[in-house]
Amino acid sequence: MGGLDETGTTGSGPELPLSARAKEMRPVTYLDELNPAQREAVETLEGPVLMLAGAGTGKTKALTSRIAHLLNTETARPNQILAVTFTNRAAREMKQRVQQLLGMTVEGMPWLGTFHSICAKLLRRHAELVGLKSNYCILDTDDQKRLLKQIIIAENIDEKKWSARLLAHIIDEWKNRALTPANVPLSESDAFNHRAVPLYALYQERLKTLNAVDFGDLLLHMLTVLQDHGDVLENYRRRFRYILVDEYQDTNIAQYLWLRLLSRGHGNVCCVGDDDQSIYSWRGANVGNILRFEKDFPGAKVVRLEQNYRSTPHILAAASGLIAANRDRLGKTLFTELGDGEKVRLASLWEGEDEARWIGGEIEAMQGGIRGSRTFGLDEIAILVRATRQMRAFEDRFLAIGLPYRVIGGPRFYERQEIRDALAYFRVACSPTDDLAFERIVNTPRRGVGDKAQQAIQLAARSRGISLLESARALASGGQLAARAGSAMTALVERFDRWHRMALSPSLSHIELATEILDESGYTEMWTLAKTPDASGRVENLKELVRALEQFENLQGFLEHVALVMENESESSERKVSIMTLHAAKGLEFPAVFLPGWEEGLFPHQLSLDENGIKGLEEERRLAYVGITRAEELCTVSFAENRLVYGQWQANLPSRFIDELPEAHVDVLAAPGRGCDGGGWSETADTGVAERAASADVYNSPGWKRLQARSATSRPVPGRRTAVDLNATAEFTCGDRVFHEKFGYGYVMEVTGDKLDIEFERAGGKKVIARFVVPAERAS
DNA sequence: CCAAGGCCGGTTTTT
DNA sequence: CCGGCCTTGG
């Protein structure tokens, strides 16, 4: 279970004299297992330390050993250590490994957790300092957007032009940068048609009335508390004598400020990170934090962990060669002592389906004992994609050939509609004033309470300053609703009253209560009767939800857990191939990794380049680096020359990242699927692709050569038809030499309306809309 | 009040 | 091409 301790599982434990016992129980061995760099990072307990830990260099080991060392030398007691991670997974792993090292349970480490869970816990203690009650509820992004939408509509703003989604994004960014409505710089006040700042302020007001916070607030409020209340700050500075931060390259500005406040004074802060693995800038992460560490924390000791224990040499060299193309980096030289191993394999396929088919074939071949090569279990294999839409092809293919797979990081269990609905019922039952939850389920399942009735309830609630449930009760009993809505509301209010009483009664099992709520509300029935194909799955999920309740003492505790630990915890032990995004793969490793879809536009992703230019490109490259470095023994990069994108066939160039892989460490597979075995596993690959002309290795394929050659040989015949650019920027005629942002220079071959057929020198033949090209002489 | 059709948008995603 | 969301018409 997660690193969230809000539910009290470990947080409320007594502060044990853990280190003393640890010593009795187990002799110090952890130091002997460290290399010199790791050892230095572990043993430098005082003052700021930056551990620059490359991929696979034993960073978690160093971090956990450091905690063990702090405890074992009695430098700190467990409750004096603040250790923060980003994900529950990381927190859980850290806890387990400290336990392993010390050979005991770490019940007494209350301050090891995610930024969010630790802040949530602290904020419960100090909620009143920011105008909240300690039982505040934590909204997820869905609630957040619904709330913003209400505000936008209430302010008479055209929601279509100015979406809640956009506003949520703007506000999140400000919160990431620790900007309260009052602090937003004037230069940014024009955002959202000059309305963003006042709307932000309104939103914060509304949250306060609801006694609610969003994720960003957890950090921001705690920051406010520490900044404005010297006594509280002093208290925590004295308490958290040693601070450890995992994945420092992913911290945002609010988190950075928070850490600085807490560590100023003793300065015992140890940050671990890798600037080359910073892939979350779009979520507010600020690589600058790690790049600036030595300036921010004067006298900092910087330790580089450069010995890689994960990947074989070719894989490591390929990754290092690739990332060397990035400019803004601290720079590390990773090395390994592992034996030879395979080169990174590179395969070119005709189209996306072929790619899935080929990889499926490879995986099957890797199962059975192909003579001379190692076999890989399904759970040792991962497919890492750039975008979720790439997953479909693999799922289809694997279903077809009966290859067990699991998609990691898909829509999470607690984010599914039916689960969120059920939780909303539980929320209202526990706290009848939870308006957002009430709103969500007031007419789900349909019970005849439509827009009009809901608006009346809202209005009355606002004007009288009462909750929606109370308002509904008043209107229903006063006969102020339409007949159908009125009777439905009376029944619903009555039920909630009863459920609330049951929730308060300690004698009643919360599992029975949950079951009753779902049955009596008609919610389970709604899905049982639904005729959509996914209905039965949803009923299953509801059952699973009730099962998950068993691990908690009451509904309240469960709801608190869910708010922060949005994970699907049903882990089957069956062996399966993992399919996930590159982002989701960070921190994981697999013996064999497939990296499909290395095509310009997809990876690096076009939007990333468009929006962030060179910075975007460098982040994409780091993503590629993360991908390759997940592999222990076998890494296979592939690309498809053609891909169906939003129903349109698109011809793609191989990713520039392919060119950046050092040739000496790459094994270009000859024509996978054609029977010319280049790699060792290919002979059993599906030969259905054999007839496809253009499948060949990247650099020597006939198709590739043809593309290269074409521009030199073909000269268009000057033509008659002329395209009129609708934006009146230029007119084109057959034979014109033109320039395109993405495809480079080429000649216009044919003109159809505003569409041009262009032979590009590098990219080959494309159909392009006229306004996307400029005459070559105008290209900068 | 609800179901069917039109329209837009469309990377990555933890807490 | 697909899904979510909103509008429209019954």
Side-chain angles (χ1 to χ4, degrees):
Chain A
M1 216 128 347
L4 168 68
D5 300 317
E6 265 216 296
T7 47
T9 44
T10 65
S12 55
E15 296 166 2
L16 301 170
L18 179 139
S19 49
R21 277 201 237 157
K23 226 191 282 182
E24 289 163 29
M25 293 176 76
R26 173 170 288 208
V28 185
T29 57
Y30 55 86
L31 287 178
D32 303 334
E33 290 163 21
L34 302 172
N35 67 34
Q38 289 172 332
R39 188 156 177 161
E40 187 182 9
V42 167
E43 290 189 313
T44 310
L45 294 179
E46 304 295 318
V49 175
L50 175 63
M51 234 193 275
L52 281 177
T57 55
K59 141 201 107 154
T60 308
K61 187 178 187 181
L63 209 47
T64 50
S65 299
R66 188 180 163 93
I67 295 176
H69 199 53
L70 282 165
L71 298 175
N72 204 51
T73 55
E74 297 186 7
T75 311
R77 281 181 284 127
N79 66 331
Q80 293 176 324
I81 297 174
L82 172 67
V84 277
T85 64
F86 274 85
T87 63
N88 291 297
R89 189 180 75 200
R92 195 183 323 134
E93 190 184 341
M94 208 184 283
K95 235 172 227 187
Q96 274 168 5
R97 291 184 56 173
V98 172
Q99 255 164 242
Q100 258 171 34
L101 287 176
L102 294 175
M104 59 173 305
T105 52
V106 194
E107 288 294 308
M109 277 207 65
W111 303 108
L112 191 168
T114 63
F115 272 103
H116 292 271
S117 68
I118 286 173
C119 281
K121 190 160 149 185
L122 291 171
L123 190 60
R124 297 253 179 241
R125 300 180 170 185
H126 305 290
E128 77 288 352
L129 297 180
V130 287
L132 293 165
K133 284 177 275 171
S134 76
N135 64 344
Y136 64 81
C137 74
I138 299 165
L139 304 188
D140 61 30
T141 42
D142 203 79
D143 294 324
Q144 186 187 12
K145 259 189 280 173
R146 290 201 343 259
L147 194 53
L148 283 170
K149 192 168 165 186
Q150 285 174 13
I151 295 173
I152 288 172
I153 290 168
E155 289 293 295
N156 279 319
I157 295 169
D158 182 5
E159 210 268 333
K160 260 173 244 136
K161 224 171 146 197
W162 303 97
S163 67
R165 194 171 152 271
L166 176 63
L167 183 59
H169 179 73
I170 294 170
I171 292 178
D172 274 346
E173 284 217 325
W174 282 336
K175 286 186 176 176
N176 285 336
R177 289 159 57 204
L179 298 172
T180 57
N183 293 335
V184 173
L186 221 57
S187 60
E188 291 173 51
S189 62
D190 57 344
F192 212 72
N193 204 18
H194 297 274
R195 304 295 292 276
V197 175
L199 287 171
Y200 179 15
L202 269 173
Y203 171 64
Q204 291 307 107
E205 272 313 304
R206 195 81 186 93
L207 286 174
K208 208 174 279 184
T209 342
L210 289 165
N211 192 31
V213 302
D214 63 23
F215 285 120
D217 282 338
L218 289 172
L219 276 150
L220 195 49
H221 283 323
M222 263 327 286
L223 196 59
T224 309
V225 168
L226 296 180
Q227 277 168 344
D228 296 353
H229 301 273
D231 52 327
V232 179
L233 175 60
E234 255 332 293
N235 177 20
Y236 286 114
R237 274 187 183 160
R238 272 198 303 274
R239 169 179 294 258
F240 301 137
R241 294 185 43 208
Y242 293 88
I243 301 177
L244 295 93
V245 189
D246 192 17
E247 307 279 17
Y248 191 60
Q249 78 283 349
D250 286 339
T251 48
N252 62 31
I253 290 179
Q255 287 156 341
Y256 159 76
L257 292 171
W258 187 80
L259 288 168
R260 280 209 56 176
L261 271 179
L262 285 173
S263 65
R264 185 167 299 159
H266 56 64
N268 296 328
V269 55
C270 173
C271 295
V272 186
D274 180 1
D275 50 315
D276 290 334
Q277 292 184 65
S278 161
I279 54 174
Y280 282 112
S281 72
W282 50 275
R283 212 163 69 185
N286 180 10
V287 209
N289 288 350
I290 196 167
L291 300 175
R292 271 194 340 263
F293 188 85
E294 288 173 271
K295 275 190 206 127
D296 290 335
F297 298 93
K301 173 173 271 184
V302 179
V303 182
R304 287 184 153 75
L305 304 190
E306 297 180 308
Q307 177 166 4
N308 175 294
Y309 296 94
R310 181 186 296 157
S311 313
T312 47
H314 286 303
I315 294 172
L316 195 59
S320 300
L322 176 78
I323 199 66
N326 271 5
R327 289 254 207 90
D328 278 335
R329 53 191 294 257
L330 294 169
K332 286 178 300 299
T333 318
L334 297 190
F335 67 97
T336 177
E337 287 175 359
L338 297 178
D340 277 354
E342 300 264 337
K343 290 184 177 182
V344 170
R345 304 188 308 155
L346 177 60
S348 147
L349 285 303
W350 178 242
E351 51 118 331
E353 238 175 78
D354 297 335
E355 189 182 45
R357 183 181 320 195
W358 180 70
I359 290 178
E362 287 289 288
I363 293 174
E364 286 192 322
M366 287 156 70
Q367 300 303 295
I370 295 294
R371 196 165 19 91
S373 60
R374 169 186 185 325
T375 63
F376 291 83
L378 292 176
D379 55 343
E380 294 182 306
I381 301 170
I383 297 170
L384 311 182
V385 298
R386 175 63 183 86
T388 43
R389 71 171 136 87
Q390 290 171 260
M391 292 179 178
R392 180 75 160 272
F394 292 100
E395 295 196 59
D396 286 350
R397 182 62 189 161
F398 293 177
L399 282 173
I401 61 176
L403 193 65
Y405 68 89
R406 120 180 57 217
V407 171
I408 294 182
R412 259 162 292 287
F413 187 67
Y414 291 116
E415 280 166 21
R416 288 160 207 246
Q417 184 194 343
E418 67 277 15
I419 299 301
R420 293 178 44 82
D421 287 341
L423 290 172
Y425 273 103
F426 299 164
R427 276 163 64 183
V428 180
C430 288
S431 34
T433 56
D434 192 329
D435 286 354
L436 286 166
F438 180 82
E439 233 181 323
R440 185 180 175 96
I441 44 78
V442 64
N443 198 32
T444 311
R446 302 260 119 99
R447 43 174 77 92
V449 183
D451 271 355
K452 231 176 66 197
Q454 287 186 45
Q455 269 169 26
I457 295 170
Q458 288 272 1
L459 202 70
R462 284 285 166 90
S463 66
R464 294 193 228 168
I466 54 176
S467 70
L468 292 180
L469 184 68
E470 282 316 306
S471 168
R473 183 196 313 278
L475 294 188
S477 65
Q480 287 156 283
L481 295 173
R484 187 139 61 120
S487 60
M489 279 321 302
T490 311
L492 188 66
V493 168
E494 239 165 57
R495 287 199 174 123
F496 271 122
D497 285 347
R498 192 170 75 251
W499 294 331
H500 185 53
R501 280 196 304 274
M502 290 164 78
L504 293 179
S505 145
S507 58
L508 201 81
S509 140
H510 63 291
I511 295 169
E512 281 168 38
L513 171 58
T515 313
E516 179 176 328
I517 292 176
L518 294 179
D519 288 347
E520 261 195 57
S521 63
Y523 194 74
T524 309
E525 188 188 29
M526 177 182 108
W527 286 117
T528 317
L529 298 180
K531 45 202 179 301
T532 49
D534 55 1
S536 69
R538 295 185 193 261
V539 175
E540 265 318 298
N541 287 338
L542 289 172
K543 283 186 192 145
E544 193 169 329
L545 177 71
V546 174
R547 243 174 281 135
L549 283 169
E550 287 170 16
Q551 311 204 10
F552 293 82
E553 294 199 351
N554 50 44
L555 272 187
Q556 192 78 56
F558 179 68
L559 290 172
E560 293 220 6
H561 168 82
V562 168
L564 285 171
V565 188
M566 301 280 270
E567 278 180 84
N568 185 358
E569 293 179 9
S570 66
E571 277 276 315
S572 89
S573 54
E574 208 189 327
R575 293 187 160 205
K576 291 172 175 176
V577 174
S578 301
I579 304 175
M580 70 187 94
T581 63
L582 287 158
H583 283 92
K586 194 167 79 156
L588 303 178
E589 57 189 7
F590 298 89
V593 167
F594 286 91
L595 301 168
W598 283 40
E599 295 130 37
E600 282 295 300
L602 178 58
F603 192 36
H605 202 284
Q606 194 59 43
L607 281 179
S608 191
L609 304 185
D610 292 347
E611 284 173 22
N612 300 305
I614 187 87
K615 284 231 154 48
L617 174 64
E618 294 209 341
E619 182 148 321
E620 295 283 305
R621 192 178 280 117
R622 291 192 290 268
L623 204 46
Y625 175 78
V626 166
I628 298 172
T629 54
R630 297 311 96 194
E632 293 168 359
E633 296 169 48
L634 187 64
C635 178
T636 310
V637 172
S638 59
F639 76 93
E641 293 179 46
N642 299 282
R643 207 171 273 279
L644 199 54
V645 180
Y646 304 136
Q648 295 277 100
W649 277 105
Q650 208 176 61
N652 289 317
L653 286 174
S655 168
R656 69 190 77 187
F657 299 150
I658 287 178
D659 294 329
E660 291 170 5
L661 296 173
E663 256 183 272
H665 304 289
V666 176
D667 185 5
V668 179
L669 301 189
R674 288 169 130 196
C676 334
D677 168 34
W681 285 281
S682 303
E683 58 253 300
T684 57
D686 197 312
T687 49
V689 235
E691 285 73 39
R692 311 246 194 196
S695 296
D697 87 55
V698 190
Y699 306 109
N700 296 311
S701 75
W704 180 249
K705 282 186 172 158
R706 195 177 58 239
L707 288 174
Q708 300 291 312
R710 199 182 283 166
S711 62
T713 54
S714 65
R715 281 285 171 276
V717 185
R720 301 144 294 260
R721 281 183 288 174
T722 294
V724 179
D725 180 1
L726 297 174
N727 295 333
T729 50
E731 290 188 351
F732 299 102
T733 309
C734 281
D736 285 354
R737 191 171 149 79
V738 293
F739 177 79
H740 182 279
E741 267 301 298
K742 187 172 152 199
F743 303 129
Y745 290 96
Y747 288 95
V748 177
M749 304 299 285
E750 205 181 1
V751 178
T752 320
D754 64 339
K755 293 184 190 67
L756 307 173
D757 263 27
I758 300 175
E759 270 304 319
F760 288 101
E761 285 161 20
R762 282 186 63 229
K766 303 266 180 223
K767 283 198 190 348
V768 167
I769 310 270
R771 68 172 183 282
F772 288 119
V773 297
V774 294
E777 65 271 16
R778 273 211 252 148
S780 46

